[in-house]
Amino acid sequence: MEGKRSIVHMDLDSYFVSVERLFDSRLNGKPILIGGSGDRGVVASCSYEARKFGVHSAMPMRTARQLCPEALIIRGDFEKYSQKSHEVTEIIREEVPLFEKSSIDEFYIDLTGMDRFFGCFKLSQQIRQRIMKETGLPISLGLSENKTVSKVATGEAKPNNEKQVLFGEEKPFLAPLSVRKIPMIGEKTSQTLYNMGVRKVHTLQQMPAELLQATFGKNGNMIWEKANGIDRSPVTPYSEAKSISTENTFEQDTIDVKMLEATLVAMCEQLAGKLRQNLQLTACVSVKIRYSDFDTHTVQQRIPYTSADHTLIPLVKELFRKLYNRRMLIRLIGVRFSSLVYGNYQIKLFEDTQEQINLYQAMDKINGKFGEKTICRAVGMSVGRRRFNPFNGMAV
């Protein structure tokens, strides 16, 4: 068995819904949709009760409401979801030497070599039980020789269960499943496969890799390998996010520059406050706009490390003015701070005053205690007291 890997995939079940139910037990057993409720909103997550009606993630909220009129719609609270995700991450960090956090609710763990000491499936079951006990969240897991098969195994184990695929059993495990179960086979690829008469993984496994390459280009060989249970990709050690961003899609496309700049100021204040809260600094600022014809442009500028509103806001406004040159209606604007590092805000001796530093500390303390935008710049007040929804960028 030397050289065989043991890769665990863990996925929190209906994560956003599960977190909401932790805070409000009245939501248990009911069809829940989480996401933007406006016409342009999309479903970020839905409960198993809603899925029975054909609702799924990334579906337009309007369609989901038609399919499941009795569903409860919740805007979502990214602060809560981030906090619970952090709790799960810390448990996994304490338990294993190597893990990858591939999304807010999904993890890969490399337990290769642990069999001789403990038993990989037993260890992964214990980690799962600890996560459920300490966070109150349901979580499923799959264990196999590689990431692809483990991820599929988790999908088959759901909801709130576990599945192991023994070494050498990868192909027969995958064979009877729909091709849609293979990671990287989305709607478009599956439709092409359906048109070729391929619906089950078993058929994919029997096809020559060359035929898939001819149809799908360089992805063809990867599809063939995944279908045959082959995946050599390593578990990449987890590191903190290197950027934070927010976007705002307007209910109606707009050309009101004053309102656009006020929105940018409010977004910039929110992100800068988040940097200071996380003891982070940014060295790169980006602004994005999307016109009504969906033409999208981004501009960025590197700067000395900072987390100060009075440094970031003028730059964001300047980048927006550089970018906005078509005089066409705007559908979306966004701000992104990247190249983040951990470190307290450094006072610039010749530019900042003690009053400014005190002001930031007081603002952050009050906003932290009473909620974002309790104190903000006057221009941002016109945007209203709101958070920016991470699911569709719309203001809440």
Side-chain angles (χ1 to χ4, degrees), residues 317-332:
K317 288 162 86 170
E318 182 189 325
L319 292 175
F320 171 72
R321 287 171 193 143
K322 273 186 192 173
L323 203 55
Y324 184 39
N325 54 19
R326 286 185 62 189
R327 301 298 164 223
M328 183 189 250
L329 288 169
I330 285 181
R331 175 185 173 83
L332 172 150

Side-chain angles (χ1 to χ4, degrees), residues 49-324:
E49 293 81 2
R51 290 180 200 184
K52 290 174 186 170
F53 292 85
V55 178
H56 57 78
S57 297
M59 174 182 279
M61 189 62 81
R62 183 188 282 174
T63 309
R65 284 202 303 254
Q66 288 167 351
L67 289 171
C68 187
E70 64 265 47
L72 299 171
I73 300 172
I74 298 173
R75 282 286 195 173
D77 183 339
F78 208 65
E79 291 295 321
K80 281 195 292 201
Y81 308 147
S82 297
Q83 177 54 38
K84 295 306 287 186
S85 175
H86 178 71
E87 288 176 26
V88 176
T89 306
E90 290 310 300
I91 292 171
I92 293 174
R93 195 197 302 276
E94 285 176 22
E95 293 281 355
V96 302
L98 176 59
F99 75 98
E100 173 182 335
K101 184 173 181 175
S102 56
S103 72
I104 192 170
D105 58 355
E106 197 174 0
F107 305 83
Y108 289 99
I109 303 169
D110 193 339
L111 295 182
T112 303
M114 297 294 281
D115 260 332
R116 70 189 76 170
F117 305 111
F118 196 75
C120 294
F121 196 46
K122 189 178 175 189
L123 177 57
S124 55
Q125 287 173 312
Q126 288 195 1
I127 296 169
R128 175 175 170 256
Q129 290 299 326
R130 184 183 165 194
I131 290 168
M132 291 192 295
K133 185 181 175 193
E134 293 186 20
T135 69
L137 294 169
I139 186 167
S140 296
L141 74 83
L143 169 64
S144 79
E145 196 272 338
N146 63 59
K147 290 166 89 171
T148 293
V149 177
S150 294
K151 185 177 172 73
V152 177
T154 304
E156 293 303 290
K158 281 177 174 284
N160 202 23
N161 217 324
E162 50 207 23
K163 187 169 185 64
Q164 179 178 17
V165 179
L166 298 171
F167 187 81
E169 295 292 314
E170 296 86 3
K171 273 183 76 169
F173 162 67
L174 295 171
L177 303 177
S178 161
V179 292
R180 281 302 298 268
K181 295 286 179 87
I182 300 291
M184 86 175 278
I185 295 185
E187 204 169 321
K188 198 173 172 185
T189 304
S190 62
Q191 200 54 57
T192 308
L193 289 169
Y194 293 165
N195 294 340
M196 295 166 70
V198 180
R199 290 189 170 268
K200 299 288 184 189
V201 176
H202 171 70
T203 317
L204 257 186
Q205 291 173 345
Q206 294 182 316
M207 290 173 73
E210 294 77 22
L211 177 57
L212 289 170
Q213 278 177 316
T215 310
F216 299 106
K218 63 177 186 291
N219 285 334
N221 197 54
M222 203 180 298
I223 290 171
W224 184 87
E225 286 192 343
K226 285 180 183 289
N228 281 278
I230 301 165
D231 179 4
R232 302 172 191 85
S233 58
V235 172
T236 309
Y238 171 62
S239 60
E240 296 291 343
K242 294 293 189 288
S243 70
I244 57 171
S245 63
T246 187
E247 292 180 355
N248 189 11
T249 302
F250 298 102
E251 289 282 5
Q252 285 189 314
D253 299 346
T254 181
I255 203 166
D256 183 344
V257 174
K258 275 193 173 177
M259 190 269 283
L260 288 165
E261 287 197 356
T263 305
L264 283 170
V265 168
M267 294 164 91
C268 196
E269 272 193 324
Q270 177 203 10
L271 290 178
K274 183 64 67 183
L275 283 179
R276 295 192 296 272
Q277 183 184 327
N278 294 341
L279 300 180
Q280 289 178 309
L281 308 168
T282 179
C284 188
V285 176
S286 310
V287 173
K288 174 164 91 171
I289 63 174
R290 178 170 295 149
Y291 292 104
S292 53
D293 63 354
F294 284 84
D295 191 22
T296 305
H297 296 269
T298 306
V299 64
Q300 69 175 40
Q301 186 171 321
R302 293 200 67 83
I303 56 169
Y305 282 112
T306 185
S307 60
D309 296 11
H310 67 274
T311 303
L312 294 164
I313 287 172
L315 177 59
V316 164
K317 288 162 86 170
E318 182 189 325
L319 292 175
F320 171 72
R321 287 171 193 143
K322 273 186 192 173
L323 203 55
Y324 184 39

Side-chain angles (χ1 to χ4, degrees), residues 24-40:
D24 187 352
S25 60
R26 291 173 301 177
L27 301 176
N28 292 343
K30 293 179 181 171
I32 309 291
L33 307 177
I34 295 183
S37 58
D39 281 349
R40 292 180 178 179

